[in-house]
């Protein structure tokens, strides 16, 4: 069973970033933060879907980025007390270009989005074990970028 939060609205050029404060965290399974399409459903971690590209996510327990079912080393492991962020850079025509992730106000990595990824802009937080998080969906893009 997985914990699950799916934002009701997509990230936009005016609201292009959100953060998760990790209050309680299981280091073995962690928290996933990222973006998904409107058809993404509870039952797996963000980024694990290999049936297309319905989600992309950063997993805190291993520091990997998951996309289309596969994971790659991406950033530092994160745990209780850390703040993890996810944002999107949009071009001048408001087309999403790049997803990025932060840990404690430092960019940990960027990943280019493709045209087929334009609909996976809903904020998502998942957990494979009990966790307590505080989600801030109204955070503005960080000044440190």
């Amino acid at each position: 069973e997985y914990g699950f939060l799916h934002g009701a609205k997509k990230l936009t050029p005016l609201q292009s970033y959100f953060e998760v404060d990790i209050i309680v965290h299981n280091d073995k399974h962690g928290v996933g933060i990222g973006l998904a399409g409107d058809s993404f459903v509870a039952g797996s971690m963000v980024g694990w879907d290999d049936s297309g590209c319905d989600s992309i996510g950063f997993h805190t327990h291993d520091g990997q980025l998951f996309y289309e079912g596969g994971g790659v080393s991406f950033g530092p492991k994160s745990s209780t007390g850390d703040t993890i962020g996810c944002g999107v850079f949009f071009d001048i025509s408001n087309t999403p270009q790049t997803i990025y992730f932060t840990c404690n106000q430092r960019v940990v990595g960027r990943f280019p989005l493709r045209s087929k990824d334009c609909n996976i802009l809903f904020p998502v937080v998942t957990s494979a074990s009990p966790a307590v998080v505080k989600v801030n969906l109204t955070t503005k893009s960080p000044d440190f970028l």
Side-chain angles (χ1 to χ4, degrees):
E1 195 65 32
Y2 296 89
F4 180 76
L5 175 133
H6 189 290
K9 296 181 181 179
K10 293 180 180 181
L11 293 185
T12 67
L14 295 176
Q15 180 57 55
S16 62
Y17 180 79
F18 72 103
E19 287 183 333
V20 175
D21 294 330
I22 302 173
I23 310 299
V24 177
H25 175 272
N26 180 322
D27 289 332
K28 184 176 179 184
H29 298 291
V31 172
I33 177 175
L35 301 176
D38 56 4
S39 63
F40 184 80
V41 295
S44 71
M45 292 288 284
V46 62
W48 278 1
D49 180 17
D50 62 359
S51 63
C53 56
D54 197 37
S55 66
I56 180 171
F58 176 69
H59 293 196
T60 62
H61 71 289
D62 59 11
Q64 289 196 19
L65 178 77
F66 284 85
Y67 181 64
E68 295 183 338
V72 296
S73 293
F74 191 72
K77 294 179 184 180
S78 306
S79 193
T80 298
D82 288 328
T83 298
I84 309 301
C86 176
V88 175
F89 292 121
F90 291 83
D91 68 13
I92 195 157
S93 65
N94 294 334
T95 302
Q97 296 295 306
T98 305
I99 185 173
Y100 65 93
F101 295 90
T102 64
C103 180
N104 301 323
Q105 300 190 345
R106 291 197 172 122
V107 175
V108 298
R110 296 173 174 86
F111 188 80
L113 296 172
R114 298 172 288 190
S115 60
K116 68 179 183 174
D117 300 328
C118 288
N119 291 319
I120 62 166
L121 295 175
F122 291 92
V124 173
V125 180
T126 58
S127 180
S129 62
V132 178
V133 298
K134 178 182 173 186
V135 180
N136 185 347
L137 296 173
T138 61
T139 303
K140 296 186 180 192
S141 295
D143 294 334
F144 56 82
L145 292 175

